[in-house]
Amino acid sequence: GGIAEFVESVSKGSAALHNVIFFKGMREGIDVEVALQWTDAFHETIFAYANNIHTVEGGTHLSGLKSALTRTLNSYATKNNLFAKNKDLRLEGDDTREGLVAVVSVKIPEPQFEGQTKTKLGNSEVEGLVSGLVNEKLGEHFEKTPNEAKRIIMRAIDAATAREAARKA
C-alpha cells in the first residue's frame, strides 16, 4: 500500500478524522508523493523521504509541504466562511499540523543533501514544486469532500483558539 498504508499504521493509536488522503504527481522531472491523515492526537508525526532515504532533519520537501498545508487550509477556510465566529483568526503552521500524520516522498534525479549523513534535502527548487502540488491536490480533495475538509479545518481552528487563549492567559 506504500506511504498511504504507512500513514494508516502510524496513526493506529489515535482516532482518525478521515481516511488517508493520498496524491502524487510529477513536476519538472521530480516525482512527489504525499499521504496525510489528521487524528485526535496533539502532536504531529511527519516523515520525509528523498529517493527512499529518510531525511530525518527534513529539508526543502518538508518545508514545501508545511507551507502548503497552512496556505491551503487558510484559503479554504476563508473561502467557505469557516472563520465566521472569529474573523481575525488565521491558522498558523502548528495549528494546521496538530494531530497530523504525514509522509512526503520525493524522487529527484540529482539530490543535494546537506551534510555527510544525508539527513536533510537541500534542493531549493523542490520546495516550490512540493508546495504547488500539495496546494493544488489538497484543494481539489477539499472541494470534493467538503465535510471532511470542514472537520480538518475545525480541528485546526480549535488548536488556534487554544493557542490564542493560552497566549492571553
Side-chain angles (χ1 to χ4, degrees):
I3 64 172
E5 195 173 299
F6 179 54
V7 164
E8 212 170 86
S9 71
V10 170
S11 60
K12 277 240 188 319
S14 306
L17 299 183
H18 57 88
N19 291 328
V20 175
I21 301 168
F22 173 80
F23 45 85
K24 64 183 187 176
M26 178 76 86
R27 296 265 165 102
E28 296 177 27
I30 295 174
D31 192 19
V32 181
E33 285 187 38
V34 178
L36 308 163
Q37 186 172 45
W38 277 268
T39 68
D40 64 354
F42 289 106
H43 60 280
E44 67 182 69
T45 307
I46 303 177
F47 296 95
Y49 294 91
N51 292 1
N52 296 329
I53 297 169
H54 184 202
T55 49
V56 182
E57 294 178 33
T60 53
H61 52 327
L62 181 60
S63 53
L65 171 69
K66 288 180 174 183
S67 66
L69 287 174
T70 306
R71 188 171 59 249
T72 305
L73 267 68
N74 268 315
S75 71
Y76 186 88
T78 303
K79 193 169 94 179
N80 292 282
N81 204 22
L82 297 177
F83 291 132
K85 289 180 186 163
N86 189 346
K87 295 262 185 239
D88 300 330
L89 188 68
R90 282 293 159 264
L91 301 173
E92 292 182 3
D94 289 341
D95 305 328
T96 63
R97 294 188 309 271
E98 186 173 291
L100 175 67
V101 177
V103 174
V104 58
S105 173
V106 293
K107 298 209 173 35
I108 310 170
E110 294 179 30
Q112 297 164 354
F113 293 102
E114 294 177 14
Q116 292 297 104
T117 55
K118 298 184 177 182
T119 55
K120 189 171 186 179
L121 184 67
N123 297 57
S124 56
E125 72 278 8
V126 172
E127 186 169 6
L129 298 176
V130 170
S131 182
L133 182 81
V134 171
N135 205 6
E136 175 191 322
K137 299 287 190 185
L138 189 58
E140 286 172 10
H141 182 79
F142 281 175
E143 293 300 326
K144 289 180 197 157
T145 59
N147 289 344
E148 188 174 293
K150 188 174 180 184
R151 261 196 318 275
I152 292 167
I153 291 170
M154 294 317 281
R155 166 96 169 85
I157 288 173
D158 289 346
T161 308
R163 175 181 44 80
E164 283 295 312
R167 188 180 59 81
K168 286 177 183 165

